Amino acid sequence: MQFISLSHPRGSDTRLSYQEAREIQLDLVEQRYRDLIPDTVLFLEHRPVITQGRGLQWTGVSRQKHMPVPGFLPEGLEFSESERGGDLTYHGPGQLVIYPICKLDGKGWAPHHDVGGFLRKLESTLIEVLRARGLNGLSRPHSTGVWVDPGKGSPLKKIASVGIAVRKWVTFHGLALNCVNDLSPFHLISPCGLSSEVMTRLSDWSSLSPNWRQEIEESWVSRMVCGEVSAIKRIPVDFLQAHLKGLAVPCEWSHLHEKHRASSS
């Protein structure tokens, strides 16, 4: 398994647009299907965007499949449709997005052809990450995502959204953890059919350092690989895109990363 942290070069907007991240994922899905790369986890932040998935899941309660899309979006906030599960949500700076490109063959981290089991493994991994920061995260039946309990009988708060897609039994899309992001864009929508008031972020519950993203990425990796040491490749987006376009042999990311570092020094 390999882990890649993506951003644009310093001096530009370091976050990825939703569309360019989707195109990267689709390229990686094809490479993973052909066994040219191992299971791959992407870490990134998105530019501000509201996305709409395939629709709300069945919970036993009758409700419409899609919530209304805002008729007007503030300047700088985009809208994009997505093939992931779920309905409307928001992505933006300060929110850590985790996209696992994993083959559901039962040979690695992902269970064999078990989409529900894969979703719960994602949630369980994040719950462990939150627990290490002293926060009690939990999942809910008939609902994806990770929640926190404020206690004293207060309603649960949603700290992370989960929605994946599967193509050729390879997963893409994934999980979005609210960390230090502005929560106000959630008020423009009904996130996954819920009141926007349920959304919360990690910084409301735990003190975060300026290196919060790197720390959370490393915490995620250590739990996904059961404490084994696994380096995160920090690769510029354009570098990854260039190699994906001409990729015809198994990809040695560590070699490519070292080559990039040498050429830029």
Side-chain angles (χ1 to χ4, degrees), residues 12 21 44 51 65 83 111 134 151 159 177 188-189 220-222 230 251:
S12 64
L44 55 95
T51 67
K65 186 175 182 179
E83 59 271 90
I159 199 168
L177 172 64
L188 298 170
I189 59 175
W220 176 277
V221 170
S222 69
S230 183
C251 184

Side-chain angles (χ1 to χ4, degrees), residues 111-158:
H112 183 262
H113 291 187
D114 185 354
V115 176
F118 181 80
L119 287 169
R120 292 307 180 189
K121 286 195 76 172
L122 288 178
E123 293 170 347
S124 297
T125 301
L126 180 56
I127 288 170
E128 292 177 14
V129 170
L130 296 177
R131 185 180 298 120
R133 305 186 72 91
L135 193 58
N136 180 31
L138 63 153
S139 59
R140 297 176 60 183
H142 308 299
S143 177
T144 59
V146 174
W147 305 69
V148 292
D149 187 355
K152 300 181 180 179
S154 298
L156 297 178
K157 292 282 192 174
K158 190 173 187 180

